[in-house]
Amino acid sequence: MSSSFIIKNPLDNKTTQTMTSTVKYTTPAYRKLRGYAFDPSMSLQMETAEVNKIVYKVVWEPLETDNELGTSYPRGEYLEIIDYDPSTGVFYTPVDLNNQHTIMEEGLAPDINNPQFHQQMVYAVIMTTINNFEKALGRKIQWSDRSYQNEKGEFESEFVERLNVFPHAVRQANAFYHPDKKSLLFGYFEAFPASASLHMPGSTVFTCLSHDIIAHETTHAILDGLHRRYIEPSHPDTRAFHEAFADITALFQHFSFSEVLEHQIAKTKGNLESQNLLGQLAQEFGKAVGSYGSLRDAIGSYDKQSKKWVMHEGNPMDYQTNMEFHDRGAVLVSAIFSAFISAYKKRIHPILRIATGGTGVLPEGELHPDLVRELSAIAAKTAGHVLRICVRALDYCPPIDITFGDYLRAIITADKDMVSDDDMDYRIAFIEAFQKRGVFAKGLKNMSVESLCYKVHPETNAAEGIEKIFVDFLREFSQEIGYETDRGKIHDITRKFITGSKEFKMGIHQRINLKFIQGPGGKRFSEISGLLFPGNEKDCKDLGLIFSRSTGAKFQIGNLWLAVRATPEGKIVRHVVITLLQKRGVIASLDHDRFSVTGYFTPNTGEIPENGFIFRGGCTLIFDLDALRLRYAVKKDIDDIQRMEQQFRYSSDLRNAESAHSLYLDNEEMASLSGPFSFMHSLIHH
Ligand SMILES: [Zn+2]
């Protein structure tokens, strides 16, 4: 800011002088906002009160907080907070995060009775979670498109700029991500604890004040934006994966709160396998709905009889026996957490040796503060690595039907692409933890790093080589999108490259079609992608595929992403990820428990024949932008009979379970909200 003005000399009050000044006010890097590290209940306990109040450093963004009527709810790049409570019909006064006093005070002080603080808390945690994903993915996150039917009855999709966040949406012990409404809905309720010593009976619990619940629901929304088909319960792992990932994010974010971390490291003397707050989720919620510890413990839980906390060892039957998706998800959370513990233990080992004169056995009493700081720094770093590895692996997952085994392969492959030398044995730690819980990768003879890692696609020089088709496209796409930071524009550019436009020659869809499927490479492309491309209407009909006059067998481009990441050695890795999807109508039967496919139907009429179901195939193609070649093709074949059987059996089990379950849902609102993305699976157990 530059200005000049006339001032009187205050000493003689006569001379007038011109003063000029040039001051540059830079945009701050962060907006600091106070909040709870866990939830309000931790502030009521002597031991945790001091560390529970933290300051969230939210990456700065201009926030709209006023409109022509005065103050409005905070509205930023990714979300808008709308504090309307339908059960009381009240709009709570918006918090003004741009108010100078609020800014100077690092936001409003944590207060359960102040709805404006509630709005601030959800904003801070959602933005922190988004930032963690973007750092790991190397690109901006997008919400899943809103799909609707146009006048012709065709499905179209539309960019969703902001998620709507309702801090007080329902009077219910639950919180939700609503994939159709593009909303996060937080409930509040009166506590009904198992014992009055755990939580005050009848006091109000707000899920919008729980870091873990907010991070969990935000992750559902982010994951839905990355892989929309993971909503579909085609495999018991798919929805469980959604739940697990949401918990993993919440858990590992605990390790970025340095005060909490040091406090817990001091308390456990660095042993993160013993009971501590970091490995537990939703403390207040758990106690308020009648259990002893937190709602979900990744590393251990309270034994009801002894009322003592015991560590989960991991059991080869875990994966086979837990079928409900929150329970099944817990198997994955526990595997990831245990991989983290192994990596952490390996890293602190030399420090402990130094600190103990070689014995590794810590003396009685408290740890030296320097040692606490050192161990905390290692824990934070390791947790950060593990979360980043987990998030990056999402780009290496198939677009449908994800299983835990697929995810392990994605983790190993993604990590190998980033870090060539695994001197800390992260990869071994992951493999061991999955194996211990009975999770294996389908079709592999062993669980070595080499086997689990997806094979790099062989380079071909043939004219029909997939690289040749994509070279120009990949170059142009990366040039156009590489420096774009506006999410709306990123969305438009991506759509243009997928579908093509009048001014823009050919989209990727058409390119694949013309140059590949209808050209000489058709058969090879089927092998690479696992999809089927018969050219004529009759064959399509016989196979249960949709036929289009212009393209032959229909397929869809799901995602198109550019991911730019720096390796620890400072190398820049640039990948373009493209996902392809195809659907097929399958009719099957179970005769004396023997599965057989009895026919196919065209899945575009909306009507599904008896014993028919929609079956999907898909693949994720990962291109290396610098070598300009296809690196991996991660696929789920559309011709996979085993997968058809698996889906057929699972969906009939699910239908039976759901019809039994629906008896307990007392009203329509609850039934519609208790969709795939609620925080709790059921209140009936409590
Ligand atoms: Zn959930």
Side-chain angles (χ1 to χ4, degrees):
M1 196 191 292
S2 157
S3 60
S4 67
F5 47 97
I6 312 287
I7 53 163
K8 261 192 187 138
N9 186 333
L11 295 174
D12 57 14
N13 222 11
K14 282 180 200 148
T15 333
T16 52
Q17 285 176 328
T18 307
M19 187 166 90
T20 58
S21 68
T22 309
V23 185
K24 266 217 155 93
Y25 293 102
T26 49
T27 315
Y30 300 103
R31 187 190 294 270
K32 292 182 185 168
L33 296 169
R34 286 181 278 173
Y36 298 114
F38 298 97
D39 57 45
S41 73
M42 294 290 114
S43 285
L44 298 174
Q45 294 166 24
M46 283 287 278
E47 202 223 316
T48 46
E50 53 171 319
V51 293
N52 189 37
K53 287 183 185 169
I54 61 164
V55 175
Y56 287 90
K57 279 169 77 184
V58 178
V59 173
W60 177 267
E61 61 164 346
L63 267 182
E64 293 171 39
T65 51
D66 45 42
N67 57 20
E68 54 290 355
L69 298 170
T71 322
S72 72
Y73 290 116
R75 184 150 50 127
E77 186 182 351
Y78 300 87
L79 52 109
E80 176 165 13
I81 291 168
I82 303 162
D83 204 356
Y84 175 65
D85 181 346
S87 49
T88 54
V90 171
F91 276 97
Y92 293 106
T93 308
V95 62
D96 182 3
L97 295 176
N98 288 339
N99 178 291
Q100 352 172 353
H101 296 176
T102 320
I103 291 177
M104 294 185 82
E105 294 267 294
E106 305 188 328
L108 302 172
D111 179 356
I112 57 164
N113 296 314
N114 181 358
Q116 288 75 48
F117 168 71
H118 296 193
Q119 297 163 22
Q120 172 182 309
M121 176 82 185
V122 280
Y123 173 75
V125 179
I126 295 172
M127 293 306 290
T128 300
T129 310
I130 291 173
N131 188 245
N132 280 335
F133 271 84
E134 291 192 341
K135 274 195 298 198
L137 288 172
R139 61 172 181 271
K140 293 240 168 188
I141 62 122
Q142 300 282 24
W143 308 122
S144 66
D145 281 2
R146 180 177 288 114
S147 44
Y148 62 96
Q149 258 176 309
N150 64 17
E151 315 86 70
K152 288 188 220 152
E154 297 156 338
F155 280 97
E156 288 204 48
S157 63
E158 171 181 86
F159 175 61
V160 175
E161 187 176 4
R162 297 185 182 95
L163 216 55
N164 294 325
V165 180
F166 295 86
H168 306 99
V170 274
R171 266 179 176 276
Q172 213 184 96
N174 219 336
F176 312 89
Y177 159 57
H178 203 300
D180 300 331
K181 294 202 171 95
K182 308 296 170 193
S183 301
L184 296 183
L185 308 162
F186 295 93
Y188 63 97
F189 61 103
E190 281 176 13
F192 44 97
S195 130
S197 64
L198 292 168
H199 199 285
M200 195 173 125
S203 60
T204 310
V205 176
F206 295 95
T207 60
C208 72
L209 293 182
S210 160
H211 162 272
D212 299 343
I213 296 178
I214 304 167
H216 178 104
E217 294 307 326
T218 307
T219 305
H220 276 315
I222 296 173
L223 192 52
D224 190 35
L226 287 164
H227 290 293
R228 327 192 41 159
R229 295 283 163 205
Y230 287 8
I231 297 184
E232 292 175 356
S234 52
H235 187 283
D237 283 6
T238 317
R239 267 156 85 167
F241 181 77
H242 240 289
E243 292 309 328
F245 213 88
D247 281 353
I248 288 165
T249 310
L251 273 175
F252 284 99
Q253 283 188 177
H254 291 166
F255 292 84
S256 59
F257 307 146
S258 52
E259 303 92 329
V260 183
L261 184 56
E262 286 185 15
H263 178 268
Q264 293 293 303
I265 293 274
K267 191 189 153 206
T268 59
K269 295 181 83 176
N271 176 11
L272 293 175
E273 281 170 282
S274 66
Q275 190 201 355
N276 69 78
L277 293 170
L278 302 162
Q280 298 173 29
L281 279 175
Q283 300 275 341
E284 179 182 46
F285 192 100
K287 286 175 189 159
V289 297
S291 54
Y292 280 91
S294 62
L295 181 71
R296 291 208 273 285
D297 296 70
I299 53 173
S301 56
Y302 273 90
D303 180 34
K304 279 207 179 85
Q305 258 142 26
S306 64
K307 293 197 178 163
K308 275 209 176 113
W309 193 87
V310 277
M311 168 101 186
H312 292 318
E313 281 295 324
N315 176 324
M317 292 304 287
D318 284 348
Y319 182 65
Q320 280 181 40
T321 47
N322 290 296
M323 296 311 277
E324 191 283 326
F325 34 89
H326 288 84
D327 298 341
R328 196 169 179 83
V331 177
L332 181 58
V333 179
S334 133
I336 303 288
F337 204 86
S338 133
F340 159 72
I341 293 286
S342 312
Y344 164 75
K345 276 161 75 178
K346 185 168 169 113
R347 293 183 81 143
I348 62 167
H349 190 66
I351 313 279
L352 289 182
R353 263 201 319 239
I354 297 169
T356 56
T359 64
V361 184
L362 290 164
E364 292 283 306
E366 289 183 10
L367 294 187
H368 190 283
D370 286 345
L371 184 57
V372 170
R373 261 193 298 278
E374 192 60 32
L375 296 181
S376 303
I378 294 174
K381 205 171 170 186
T382 313
H385 279 163
V386 170
L387 183 56
R388 266 200 305 284
I389 290 172
C390 288
V391 173
R392 275 181 189 147
L394 292 172
D395 280 1
Y396 292 70
C397 290
I400 47 153
D401 240 10
I402 180 141
T403 65
F404 295 175
D406 296 331
Y407 186 54
L408 177 62
R409 296 195 70 181
I411 286 177
I412 302 300
T413 314
D415 191 54
K416 214 159 172 246
D417 273 358
M418 279 302 287
V419 188
S420 48
D421 182 16
D422 184 23
D423 53 353
M424 284 296 155
D425 290 333
Y426 277 99
R427 303 201 264 273
I428 305 289
F430 277 108
I431 296 170
E432 209 176 65
F434 276 66
Q435 215 162 3
K436 251 190 178 167
R437 286 158 183 82
V439 182
F440 297 97
K442 200 179 146 196
L444 294 186
K445 289 204 181 71
N446 64 60
M447 292 270 281
S448 65
V449 172
E450 294 68 32
S451 310
L452 287 165
C453 201
Y454 285 112
K455 297 283 164 290
V456 175
H457 195 78
E459 201 160 7
T460 48
N461 291 315
E464 72 269 24
I466 187 164
E467 299 81 11
K468 300 273 185 296
I469 309 290
F470 284 97
V471 164
D472 302 345
F473 173 80
L474 294 175
R475 275 209 197 104
E476 283 170 39
F477 175 66
S478 66
Q479 271 160 16
E480 207 162 323
I481 210 149
Y483 296 98
E484 189 53 71
T485 54
D486 180 284
R487 286 171 50 243
K489 288 194 184 131
I490 292 173
H491 184 271
D492 292 347
I493 295 171
T494 306
R495 291 252 52 99
K496 183 176 85 176
F497 273 86
I498 289 176
T499 57
S501 68
K502 279 199 199 92
E503 357 18 296
F504 187 72
K505 25 187 178 174
M506 256 193 279
I508 188 70
H509 192 274
Q510 208 181 351
R511 267 174 216 240
I512 291 177
N513 232 305
L514 282 180
K515 298 197 176 176
F516 238 136
I517 297 167
Q518 293 171 16
K523 194 158 169 279
R524 204 173 142 246
F525 193 64
S526 258
E527 283 165 20
I528 293 172
S529 64
L531 308 180
L532 293 170
F533 303 104
N536 66 63
E537 193 167 359
K538 187 184 174 297
D539 290 349
C540 281
K541 204 173 166 215
D542 291 349
L543 289 166
L545 299 163
I546 304 171
F547 175 77
S548 138
R549 239 162 252 298
S550 56
T551 61
K554 264 202 172 175
F555 69 97
Q556 197 199 348
I557 304 286
N559 297 320
L560 173 60
W561 297 321
L562 171 69
V564 182
R565 295 153 193 172
T567 70
E569 291 101 36
K571 207 181 129 212
I572 303 291
V573 177
R574 299 189 306 152
H575 284 164
V576 174
V577 183
I578 303 175
T579 65
L580 271 65
L581 295 130
Q582 194 171 43
K583 65 178 172 181
R584 187 172 188 185
V586 178
I587 307 167
S589 73
L590 274 178
D591 189 20
H592 292 89
D593 209 41
R594 267 194 51 195
F595 175 85
S596 52
V597 173
T598 54
Y600 296 99
F601 67 97
T602 314
N604 61 344
T605 54
E607 278 165 47
I608 294 178
E610 199 180 344
N611 288 321
F613 61 99
I614 307 271
F615 182 71
R616 287 181 204 277
C619 78
T620 299
L621 304 175
I622 301 171
F623 292 89
D624 181 332
L625 207 51
D626 299 300
L628 286 169
R629 56 175 294 201
L630 176 65
R631 199 163 162 81
Y632 309 105
V634 179
K635 58 176 180 168
K636 293 271 169 175
D637 286 358
I638 196 150
D639 222 7
D640 185 339
I641 303 280
Q642 246 189 332
R643 219 159 50 80
M644 288 178 196
E645 172 170 4
Q646 204 279 329
Q647 186 182 324
F648 187 74
R649 286 180 187 273
Y650 178 60
S651 55
S652 57
D653 288 353
L654 205 66
R655 267 195 303 278
N656 296 337
E658 265 172 14
S659 58
H661 183 68
S662 63
L663 297 174
Y664 294 97
L665 298 174
D666 45 7
N667 63 47
E668 216 173 286
E669 184 206 30
M670 186 159 167
S672 71
L673 284 177
S674 301
F677 298 117
S678 54
F679 185 75
M680 280 281 285
H681 44 97
S682 149
L683 292 175
I684 303 148
H685 307 309
H686 296 278

